[in-house]
Amino acid sequence: MKLVEGEATVENVGEFVAWLDEVGEAHGCTVQAFDANYVVSRAHLSRALDLADRARERGEAVARDRGVEVMLYAAGRRQIDRALELGVREGRGPVVVLVAADGADDSVQAERAAASAVAERLDQHGTLGEFDSERVRAYFDVADPELDATDADLEALVLERVALLDVEK
C-alpha cells in the first residue's frame, strides 16, 4: 500500500473519481481518495484495507468495488452514502489517496506507477496527522466521557471503530 498526500482541487467529484478509477485500472491497483480531515493516521487506512481484503476473501464484502469496501471500513460504517462523507469534495482541500495493488506479481511497481500518476494531480505535502479532531470526533461519535474513561487517544478509538465493523455485521 502506498499513500499519496497533498492538496487537491476537485472541480467535479464524479470526474475526479472516474480519473482515479482509470489510474487504478491502468496499473492494476485500487485507488481511493479520502478527505484528509477524517484520516487519523496511516494505520487507519492500512487497517481498513486489511479488513476490507479479508471480508472480500471470505465473501462477506458489502460493496462490489474494493475501494468502496475500504471506504466502508475506514468509516466504520456499513452504509455506503454515510461512508462517502470521508471522500473528496468539490473545491480545494487536503487529501490522502490510498493506492493498493490488486494482487499482481509486480505489485510494488504497479503501486509506485499508480502513486506517481496520482501525485501529478496533487500539490504534495504531508496531510496525515493533520486531521480535524472535532470533525473526527463528531463523525466517529467519540464524546468526552469516552475519552475521559480511557487512556486511549483519538487515533486508538478510531482504529477500534474500524475493527468493530466486523463485529457489527
Side-chain angles (χ1 to χ4, degrees):
M1 173 185 89
K2 293 208 173 294
L3 299 179
V4 184
E5 305 170 61
E7 293 278 328
T9 300
V10 178
E11 293 179 15
N12 179 296
V13 173
E15 289 174 8
F16 186 77
V17 170
W19 175 77
L20 292 174
D21 287 344
E22 289 172 14
V23 170
E25 288 176 24
H27 298 287
C29 292
T30 296
V31 181
Q32 183 67 50
F34 297 86
D35 179 335
N37 287 306
Y38 292 97
V39 179
V40 297
S41 65
R42 177 180 182 80
H44 181 179
L45 296 182
S46 179
R47 180 170 290 175
L49 176 62
D50 290 345
L51 293 171
D53 284 347
R54 185 175 75 182
R56 292 170 58 80
E57 288 169 9
R58 294 178 175 176
E60 298 171 352
V62 171
R64 281 178 263 137
D65 181 81
R66 182 182 185 212
V68 174
E69 191 73 15
V70 172
M71 179 79 72
L72 290 168
Y73 275 95
R77 296 200 165 51
R78 294 319 276 160
Q79 303 85 16
I80 292 173
D81 29 336
R82 182 82 166 108
L84 290 176
E85 289 181 42
L86 266 64
V88 295
R89 291 173 184 61
E90 288 184 1
R92 184 159 180 82
V95 298
V96 178
V97 181
L98 176 142
V99 177
D102 292 334
D105 292 335
D106 59 345
S107 62
V108 172
Q109 281 76 13
E111 288 176 354
R112 194 173 292 142
S116 178
V118 169
E120 291 177 14
R121 289 274 298 258
L122 303 181
D123 293 330
Q124 284 189 274
H125 67 84
T127 59
L128 286 175
E130 301 293 321
F131 61 90
D132 180 332
S133 62
E134 290 306 313
R135 189 179 295 187
V136 168
R137 287 181 62 185
Y139 184 81
F140 288 97
D141 299 319
V142 178
D144 286 334
E146 183 176 6
L147 282 169
D148 294 342
T150 181
D151 290 336
D153 61 6
L154 185 55
E155 177 187 5
L157 294 173
V158 169
L159 293 176
E160 180 180 81
R161 300 289 199 284
V162 171
L164 286 174
L165 188 60
D166 270 343
V167 175
E168 294 175 358
K169 283 187 198 175

